[in-house]
Amino acid sequence: MEKVRTPRHPRLWFEILLIGVSYYLYSQIRNAVPQQQTTALRHADAIWALEHHLGLAVERSINHGVNSVTWLIVGMNYYYATLHFIVTVGVLIWLYVAHPGRYGPARLVVFMTTWLALIGFWAYPLAPPRLMTGGGFIDTVMVHHTWGSLSQGDLAQVSNQYAAMPSMHIGWSLWCGITIVTLAKPLWARILGALYPVATLMVIISTGNHFWMDAVGGALCLAVAYAVAYVIYGRWVYSLPKYASGALAMEERTSA
C-alpha cells in the first residue's frame, strides 16, 4: 500500500510540548462538553436495558461483589485515578527511547483515539453507572473516601460527569497492551502488557465508572485510529522500521 508519509526521528522538546498541550486541550474540551444530565441519564437507562436484553448486565453484581473486599476496591479506586495516565506516558517514553522510528505513528494512534473519543462525548452524553437514578450501583470512591474522584467537591464543577462513552481508560490501556505485547522482548513484559487492559476493564466496571459497552466504544475508537495510521504510513504501525533515518537505521538494516 502506498504511504502518505514516512516516519521521522522524534524531537524530545517537541514531543514534550505536544503531549502536554494535547492533554491540556483534551481535558478542556472534554470538560466543555455540555453536561446534558437528562439525556445522559436516559442513555444510561437505555444501555442498561439493552444489556439486560442481551443477558449481559453484569456490572452491578461485579460492583457490589468487589466493593465487599475493602482493600481490593480501594486499590482499584487509585488504579482508576492514576494508572491510565502514568502507564500511557511510560509506554510513550519507552517507544521514544527504544523504538524512535515507530514512536510517531504509535503516538498518532493515541492522539487519534483520544480525539475520536471527544466526538463520542459530544454526540452521546452518558452517565456512568454510579450516577444512574435508581440503578443500585455503589460509588466506590464516595463510599471509601479515596483520593482521585472528579465527582466530589470543587472538582465536580469543572469535570464533565457525563462523558463515559467511549471509555478512554480502555482505549489507552488497549493501546499500551498491544504496543507492549508486539514490541517487548521479555516474556514477563508481554504477559503484563496483555493483562493490563483486562485489569483495566475489571476496574472500570467494579468502580461503577463504566458499562462494558463503553469499553467496546473505546476499542472501536482505537481500531479506527490504527486504520488511519495504516493508511498514512502504508504499514502496520509496529512493522515500521525501528529507527526512522540516519546511521541508526543503516545499522538496523545491516544487522537484519
Side-chain angles (χ1 to χ4, degrees):
M1 182 175 181
E2 186 177 352
K3 59 188 175 183
V4 176
R5 63 176 299 178
T6 301
R8 298 178 180 178
H9 191 84
R11 293 166 292 178
L12 180 59
W13 69 268
F14 177 77
E15 293 303 326
I16 293 174
L17 179 63
L18 180 63
I19 292 173
V21 170
S22 297
Y23 187 77
Y24 172 78
L25 290 176
Y26 164 76
S27 300
Q28 294 300 310
I29 295 172
R30 180 184 187 275
N31 295 333
V33 175
Q35 295 199 39
Q36 304 176 52
Q37 181 179 17
T38 301
T39 302
L41 290 171
R42 184 172 69 249
H43 287 163
D45 290 338
I47 284 184
W48 191 227
L50 175 60
E51 290 188 357
H52 274 285
H53 178 72
L54 296 173
L56 297 172
V58 299
E59 291 92 338
R60 186 166 57 199
S61 296
I62 294 174
N63 173 239
H64 282 253
V66 177
N67 184 70
S68 65
V69 185
T70 302
W71 66 266
L72 180 58
I73 195 60
V74 167
M76 286 187 170
N77 285 343
Y78 288 122
Y79 181 119
Y80 184 86
T82 60
L83 285 195
H84 69 291
F85 181 74
I86 294 172
V87 175
T88 304
V89 171
V91 174
L92 282 169
I93 293 173
W94 171 62
L95 280 174
Y96 180 91
V97 173
H99 299 269
R102 296 159 181 155
Y103 170 85
R107 184 249 292 139
L108 173 65
V109 173
V110 178
F111 281 23
M112 181 67 65
T113 302
T114 302
W115 296 117
L116 287 172
L118 287 174
I119 297 174
F121 300 155
W122 277 96
Y124 197 81
L126 177 67
R130 60 183 173 78
L131 294 182
M132 288 179 65
T133 303
F137 287 89
I138 299 169
D139 187 332
T140 60
V141 169
M142 188 76 72
V143 168
H144 297 282
H145 307 289
T146 48
W147 170 85
S149 174
L150 296 179
S151 63
Q152 298 179 20
D154 294 336
L155 289 176
Q157 305 303 316
V158 298
S159 176
N160 185 1
Q161 300 299 298
Y162 305 111
M165 172 66 82
S167 167
M168 278 299 87
H169 278 73
I170 291 300
W172 289 353
S173 67
L174 267 177
W175 175 84
C176 290
I178 292 170
T179 301
I180 293 170
V181 168
T182 306
L183 297 180
K185 292 182 179 180
L187 178 59
W188 63 265
R190 296 201 301 271
I191 292 174
L192 288 178
L195 291 177
Y196 177 51
V198 177
T200 300
L201 177 61
M202 189 66 181
V203 165
I204 67 172
I205 290 176
S206 298
T207 56
N209 280 291
H210 287 283
F211 298 99
W212 63 260
M213 289 186 69
D214 303 342
V216 173
L220 287 175
C221 288
L222 181 67
V224 171
Y226 272 121
V228 171
Y230 183 87
V231 170
I232 291 175
Y233 291 98
R235 293 171 66 179
W236 170 239
V237 168
Y238 306 115
S239 67
L240 290 164
K242 183 175 182 179
Y243 301 106
S245 60
L248 292 177
M250 182 64 69
E251 178 182 326
E252 180 182 27
R253 286 193 295 270
T254 304
S255 62

